[in-house]
Amino acid sequence: MAAGVAAWLPFARAAAIGWMPVANCPMPLAPADKNKRQDELIILNVSGRRFQTWRTTLERYPDTLLGSTEKEFFFNEDTKEYFFDRDPEVFRCVLNFYRTGKLHYPRYECISAYDDELAFYGILPEIIGDCCYEEYKDRKRENAERLMDDNDSENNQESMPSLSFRQTMWRAFENPHTSTLALVFYYVTGFFIAVSVITNVVETVPCGTVPGSKELPCGERYSVAFFCLDTACVMIFTVEYLLRLFAAPSRYRFIRSVMSIIDVVAIMPYYIGLVMTNNEDVSGAFVTLRVFRVFRIFKFSRHSQGLRILGYTLKSCASELGFLLFSLTMAIIIFATVMFYAEKGSSASKFTSIPASFWYTIVTMTTLGYGDMVPKTIAGKIFGSICSLSGVLVIALPVPVIVSNFSRIYHQNQRADKRRAQKKARLARIRVAKTGSSNAYLHSKRNGLLNEALELMGTPEEEHTGKITSLIESQHHHLLHCLEKTTNHEFIDEQMFEQNCMESSMQNYPSTRSPSLSSHPGLTTTCCSRRSKKTTHLPNSNLPATRLRSMQELSTIHIQGSEQPSLTTSRSSLNLKADDGLRPNCKTSQITTAIISIPTPPVLTPEGESRPPTSSPGPNTNIPSVASNVVKVSAL
Amino acid sequence: MNRCPRRSWSPLGQATRSLYQLVTGSLSPDSVEDEFELSTVCHRPEGLEQLQEQTKFTRKELQVLYRGFKNECPSGIVNEENFKQIYSQFFPQGDSSTYATFLFNAFDTNHDGSVSFEDFVAGLSVILRGTIDDRLNWAFNLYDLNKDGCITKEEMLDIMKSIYDMMGKYTYPALREEAPREHVESFFQKMDRNKDGVVTIEEFIESCQKDENIMRSMQLFDNVI
């Protein structure tokens, strides 16, 4: 019920008096208005901007934040107003919804910000009025596409735990950039498609004369060569098709897809030709089949995004195309009939029948004007000119729709590509900012330890090297510290970890590793050969590694390297007595390393993996590759 | 209430005019003016004091009423379409348009096709603050469609059908075709004293006063405002 109409509810109830004399049974009791207060003004302070409205206005929608008692949580006793620390611009729309019953979507507002605000106030976006609903839905769709795009590209780059051979192959087929082999395959197939198409074309070119007979097309002159070329191409295509069929996650769906049909149609004529070479009767039909070889050119659509966009545009403009066709057909029939009857009188007229006039009409309406059929009577000429004028109109009208559709889809793709290209740079910048924060913890810890060590050793206080941390920072650090204590592991940064790794790989590992060793058997190999292995997802001890955008993840690696602690800053080094490296200590006698991994690097990881020689993005960013192995070894 | 100035063109003249406009491609200026005129219609009610005198509402109640009224009808008057639309919002399952029409006619006391705020408040004042007799009078007025002083069976049947229409299709027990008619019969049996097939105002008031249920229900909505 719209809000404005809610004000009329008293009227509707009063008008119910008209039913009373007619009713036979007694009426139910009216709900009593228990606290019938006078309508009062409520002040809503949203980030400093004060809005005022009647209480009853807000109570029109009791299942929203403002209409229910939930707003009492935001009541500020001192100022006797409701304070919301939210965006005042969007709140304007929200409040107008209560007032008028219509929710509007301001065009200048970002769609996700708006959605967030609506969710906060408990208003369903579906109530948006018709005036703004379309715009809202369009923006929402764009946003969803963008998100899906991001997710897709993330998924593509996210390292899968262990892809089966089949899955790797499918990924290679779909996305040639995943591995060099895929890229090679991609180019080879492209080359052969081109070769095949050119062969088909050149086959028909007249190629000089063999003395004693008429001019032959090349295909017949060098038939063996062309046959070999054709065979080679078809073999490649067949192999490719079979490989794709094998690798497809859903074979049935693959078979039904357009590309697979094109593949089949491209290679079928050859096989049919092989089978039917001896049969003279159907050789005529066979020759026609050869025309299907030209479909090989459609295989290029796997290689060209523009072609795919064109195909998609045509598909999405199907209704406009249909309309174009229908209107053209109508016009053709009308004008053909008119021309036929107009030209019936003239002698030797080419317009022998209405279907014969179709050709003239089409040629005229599309402004081709071959001139093989020309009206001779005056009436015919008049109608002919009307025909050509209207042809221009009829064709010109739906074309802009198709063009705009194509342009929209094309630009969308452009934007997606641009986003992907910018993403790396963007993420690198974000990462740098984030590593700053994680390093801050390690930094402050070191400083804290240093200070403790200094105190332990009884030296006079040196200057604090650490900077003064804010309250929030110190609380955060305290939190991380508690976590360390809980898990008996410590945070260190990457270089330390790598050093440890190197050392421990050089040392002999005592076989008395604790039974709580999880996951991979060869700690050494997994630890240090992490670069060559495809990274796994980030399992971690404490937090579920779910969203890539989740907060800091933790993976703990515990390495026994206690004999020669090279970490001067680790706790254990300070606490170790020279004789006893293994004594359990509440301050974790072993060098435990826990890596804080930053959410964004997983995006980079597969690239780091797949292109080991090419780039090693800065030392701080290789953390996830390090964190690929989670081995919890408790040495206690 | 404004009406579009009627243009009494002959059809031929109109055709010539539109052909001319087609050829010259000019916007017809009339339509723009028409819209402009319609949108400036704005009816303002009399002052608060006068309304206070005429009706039995307090000042605050009138303020609340006006605010709600103006919200839904910014132009200050309600026409029948608007009225029907507002009323239908309260009965989403059924078709309340007929009953809304009857209501509209009951509120539109001067029969000018629109309900202004004064009409609105006057009607509400009778329903909510009037004496029982006033209310019964008002109800009688509602039922008496042609305002001739007596309710015939056909009029009552119309009213009854419109009330049943508001229920819609999905009822329990399922609505039968004869239900309104039967209801009308029982109504007439109760109200029509002299069995002459019509119910006059005196019969109506008398019968209602004898019925306790009706008396009680007439006061049900007293504190709606």
Side-chain angles (χ1 to χ4, degrees):
Chain A
M1 207 168 62
V5 201
W8 281 59
L9 184 59
F11 155 71
R13 295 176 72 199
I17 209 170
W19 312 332
M20 299 302 141
V22 180
N24 292 330
C25 2
M27 290 289 142
L29 287 174
D33 195 355
K34 291 195 183 61
N35 21 355
K36 189 174 169 96
R37 328 172 264 247
Q38 289 290 4
D39 205 0
E40 46 165 341
L41 278 178
I42 304 190
I43 305 179
L44 300 160
N45 184 348
V46 182
S47 300
R49 207 189 292 185
R50 281 185 174 72
F51 297 86
Q52 287 184 322
T53 183
W54 299 108
R55 182 176 287 277
T56 47
T57 312
L58 292 182
E59 285 167 0
R60 284 178 191 159
Y61 296 99
D63 54 354
T64 59
L65 184 150
L66 291 173
S68 62
T69 52
E70 196 183 341
K71 63 177 182 284
E72 302 302 326
F73 285 103
F74 298 91
F75 188 67
N76 187 342
E77 291 295 339
D78 308 323
T79 51
K80 292 274 180 273
E81 60 189 17
Y82 294 88
F83 181 74
F84 297 95
D85 202 6
R86 313 281 304 188
D87 188 0
E89 302 290 332
V90 180
F91 188 77
R92 204 174 51 83
C93 299
V94 167
L95 197 52
N96 275 336
F97 167 62
Y98 285 91
R99 291 182 183 135
T100 61
K102 294 203 205 100
L103 182 62
H104 294 284
Y105 170 61
R107 276 169 172 70
Y108 56 81
E109 202 63 55
C110 166
I111 184 78
S112 32
Y114 188 73
D115 271 343
D116 285 343
E117 293 293 318
L118 283 189
F120 177 81
Y121 292 109
I123 299 178
L124 289 176
E126 270 64 36
I127 323 184
I128 293 186
D130 285 340
C131 40
C132 300
Y133 193 62
E134 215 175 293
E135 168 87 15
Y136 173 78
K137 271 298 179 201
D138 283 343
R139 299 273 288 264
K140 192 125 191 220
R141 195 168 24 95
E142 276 175 30
N143 204 35
E145 281 169 2
R146 178 187 63 81
L147 279 177
M148 218 167 51
D149 237 1
D150 284 351
N151 274 344
D152 277 346
S153 55
E154 278 172 10
N155 284 339
N156 280 342
Q157 295 164 1
E158 197 179 87
S159 43
M160 313 282 187
S162 53
L163 282 179
S164 72
F165 176 62
R166 191 172 149 185
Q167 281 170 324
T168 10
M169 239 170 57
W170 181 250
R171 259 187 72 206
F173 280 136
E174 291 298 297
N175 196 353
H177 299 286
T178 45
S179 71
T180 21
L181 190 61
L183 215 54
V184 163
F185 183 76
Y186 174 78
Y187 283 126
V188 162
T189 42
F191 172 71
F192 272 97
I193 296 174
V195 161
S196 159
V197 169
I198 293 177
T199 326
N200 280 346
V201 168
V202 169
E203 239 179 18
T204 58
V205 171
C207 211
T209 52
V210 171
S213 71
K214 58 181 182 9
E215 197 154 335
L216 282 179
C218 282
E220 286 179 29
R221 195 149 164 216
Y222 302 105
S223 56
V224 177
F226 278 105
F227 183 73
C228 291
L229 261 179
D230 205 20
T231 313
C233 295
V234 169
M235 263 185 3
I236 300 266
F237 295 152
T238 319
V239 163
E240 181 206 353
Y241 181 70
L242 290 175
L243 280 180
R244 273 184 207 264
L245 189 61
F246 167 67
S250 157
R251 298 216 172 103
Y252 177 61
R253 209 153 47 101
F254 173 72
I255 288 183
R256 280 193 318 175
S257 71
V258 176
M259 287 311 301
S260 119
I261 292 179
I262 290 178
D263 286 339
V264 168
V265 168
I267 61 181
M268 263 314 149
Y270 177 79
Y271 289 114
I272 297 181
L274 277 185
V275 165
M276 292 199 315
T277 27
N278 304 329
N279 209 337
E280 280 302 321
D281 304 333
V282 294
S283 68
F286 165 63
V287 166
T288 342
L289 268 183
R290 282 180 145 209
V291 91
F292 284 106
R293 288 190 304 174
V294 81
F295 276 84
R296 289 177 194 168
I297 206 171
F298 283 118
K299 287 166 71 78
F300 266 130
S301 64
R302 276 211 188 93
H303 297 247
S304 156
Q305 200 188 24
L307 263 184
R308 275 202 301 269
I309 295 179
L310 189 60
Y312 183 61
T313 310
L314 289 176
K315 198 166 57 151
S316 69
C317 299
S319 61
E320 278 83 28
L321 283 175
F323 167 68
L324 176 61
L325 228 55
F326 175 68
S327 59
L328 266 179
T329 314
M330 249 178 42
I332 287 173
I333 294 180
I334 292 176
F335 279 108
T337 315
V338 166
M339 289 307 295
F340 172 70
Y341 283 111
E343 286 287 303
K344 202 157 183 210
S346 94
S347 57
S349 129
K350 291 236 177 78
F351 295 79
T352 49
S353 65
I354 295 188
S357 317
F358 280 169
W359 174 243
Y360 168 75
T361 322
I362 293 176
V363 165
T364 314
M365 282 186 88
T366 51
T367 69
L368 276 176
Y370 287 134
D372 53 350
M373 281 166 85
V374 175
K376 295 208 167 43
T377 60
I378 298 201
K381 287 187 180 159
I382 292 178
F383 288 121
S385 32
I386 299 179
C387 172
S388 72
L389 284 174
S390 66
V392 169
L393 266 180
V394 167
I395 294 186
L397 283 177
V399 166
V401 177
I402 300 175
V403 164
S404 80
N405 250 352
F406 178 78
S407 151
R408 179 178 61 86
I409 299 176
Y410 184 70
H411 284 303
Q412 225 167 34
N413 264 294
Q414 294 277 64
R415 275 204 302 272
D417 288 342
K418 214 175 13 171
R419 252 205 319 274
R420 251 172 266 146
Q422 290 167 346
K423 188 189 255 202
K424 295 185 203 161
R426 232 179 92 223
L427 291 176
R429 276 202 307 270
I430 296 177
R431 225 184 2 263
V432 166
K434 287 211 177 135
T435 45
S437 78
S438 75
N439 279 346
Y441 177 60
L442 302 171
H443 212 73
S444 79
K445 223 172 42 130
R446 248 176 256 146
N447 291 336
L449 289 177
L450 216 47
N451 292 335
E452 281 183 31
L454 291 173
E455 283 170 34
L456 270 179
M457 297 179 202
T459 53
E461 297 103 35
E462 316 251 339
E463 305 84 41
H464 279 256
T465 46
K467 53 186 194 292
I468 303 190
T469 54
S470 66
L471 179 62
I472 289 196
E473 261 187 71
S474 52
Q475 287 174 345
H476 186 215
H477 293 168
H478 172 250
L479 184 66
L480 294 172
H481 194 177
C482 292
L483 184 58
E484 283 183 335
K485 284 280 190 257
T486 315
T487 59
N488 266 331
H489 290 66
E490 270 184 27
F491 293 112
I492 60 167
D493 65 3
E494 198 215 351
Q495 290 116 332
M496 298 303 171
F497 175 70
E498 284 184 31
Q499 284 179 22
N500 295 347
C501 202
M502 291 301 165
E503 285 160 16
S504 50
S505 70
M506 286 189 289
Q507 294 164 3
N508 276 337
Y509 257 78
S511 53
T512 57
R513 207 171 299 154
S514 125
S516 74
L517 174 67
S518 59
S519 83
H520 318 279
L523 176 60
T524 318
T525 48
T526 53
C527 164
C528 299
S529 62
R530 60 195 176 282
R531 286 192 195 275
S532 52
K533 187 168 100 90
K534 271 208 168 49
T535 59
T536 58
H537 70 286
L538 306 166
N540 60 41
S541 52
N542 299 314
L543 309 169
T546 50
R547 309 256 319 142
L548 289 173
R549 287 185 176 78
S550 61
M551 297 318 289
Q552 296 179 339
E553 299 172 3
L554 216 54
S555 36
T556 65
I557 301 196
H558 179 177
I559 300 167
Q560 285 187 3
S562 52
E563 280 111 78
Q564 283 180 15
S566 63
L567 299 174
T568 52
T569 60
S570 82
R571 209 158 269 208
S572 52
S573 67
L574 297 172
N575 295 322
L576 270 182
K577 310 293 184 272
D579 47 18
D580 192 346
L582 289 177
R583 188 176 64 202
N585 192 329
C586 64
K587 292 203 178 172
T588 65
S589 55
Q590 304 300 334
I591 299 170
T592 65
T593 62
I595 311 291
I596 307 169
S597 72
I598 302 152
T600 49
V603 174
L604 266 213
T605 304
E607 293 165 19
E609 290 299 310
S610 64
R611 294 193 260 260
T614 54
S615 70
S616 62
N620 281 340
T621 63
N622 262 342
I623 293 180
S625 60
V626 157
S628 60
N629 7 322
V630 171
V631 176
K632 283 196 291 229
V633 180
S634 133
L636 294 176
Chain B
M1 173 112 107
N2 257 326
R3 301 215 158 77
C4 318
R6 288 278 143 85
R7 305 233 162 223
S8 48
W9 291 89
S10 68
L12 181 62
Q14 209 166 9
T16 323
R17 195 162 131 259
S18 25
L19 186 61
Y20 174 71
Q21 276 175 2
L22 173 74
V23 168
T24 58
S26 57
L27 251 189
S28 108
D30 300 331
S31 55
V32 177
E33 278 172 11
D34 281 345
E35 286 170 29
F36 185 63
E37 283 169 18
L38 271 171
S39 64
T40 56
V41 164
C42 188
H43 185 101
R44 290 213 171 78
E46 309 164 4
L48 211 48
E49 288 75 18
Q50 281 136 313
L51 282 177
Q52 262 184 292
E53 285 168 26
Q54 289 166 7
T55 67
K56 303 203 183 78
F57 287 120
T58 68
R59 200 180 171 87
K60 271 221 161 17
E61 289 168 345
L62 283 170
Q63 283 179 336
V64 169
L65 277 173
Y66 187 68
R67 282 205 292 263
F69 185 85
K70 180 97 179 164
N71 211 3
E72 201 56 25
C73 319
S75 61
I77 50 168
V78 198
N79 57 10
E80 195 169 325
E81 270 315 303
N82 227 356
F83 197 87
K84 287 210 274 212
Q85 197 204 7
I86 295 173
Y87 201 69
S88 68
Q89 307 243 6
F90 297 104
F91 303 99
Q93 307 100 321
D95 173 28
S96 59
S97 49
T98 335
Y99 188 70
T101 315
F102 298 146
L103 270 183
F104 184 80
N105 291 333
F107 270 90
D108 183 16
T109 38
N110 51 0
H111 304 291
D112 61 352
S114 67
V115 168
S116 66
F117 184 62
E118 289 95 338
D119 299 334
F120 182 69
V121 151
L124 279 185
S125 166
V126 168
I127 299 175
L128 298 176
R129 302 277 187 267
T131 64
I132 297 277
D133 277 355
D134 287 340
R135 299 181 196 194
L136 289 173
N137 252 316
W138 193 91
F140 185 86
N141 195 27
L142 172 70
Y143 300 147
D144 186 9
L145 298 178
N146 53 4
K147 315 287 179 233
D148 61 354
C150 48
I151 307 177
T152 63
K153 274 203 180 152
E154 287 70 32
E155 288 176 338
M156 203 57 225
L157 187 59
D158 286 340
I159 298 267
M160 201 63 74
K161 277 214 197 111
S162 72
I163 295 182
Y164 275 83
D165 278 344
M166 281 199 281
M167 292 292 295
K169 209 168 57 161
Y170 305 107
T171 56
Y172 177 78
L175 266 181
R176 296 165 302 130
E177 275 293 316
E178 320 81 45
R181 188 169 285 281
E182 288 170 4
H183 203 146
V184 168
E185 291 299 329
S186 70
F187 176 80
F188 263 74
Q189 240 180 356
K190 197 164 47 158
M191 301 280 168
D192 192 6
R193 296 280 145 172
N194 53 2
K195 306 292 175 213
D196 57 354
V198 294
V199 177
T200 63
I201 180 80
E202 296 85 12
E203 287 176 339
F204 183 71
I205 294 189
E206 213 186 300
S207 321
C208 285
Q209 279 172 341
K210 295 222 178 62
D211 188 334
E212 223 181 76
N213 277 335
I214 296 182
M215 283 292 116
R216 204 181 10 239
S217 58
M218 279 309 216
Q219 299 176 329
L220 200 57
F221 297 110
D222 269 359
N223 32 2
V224 152
I225 300 286

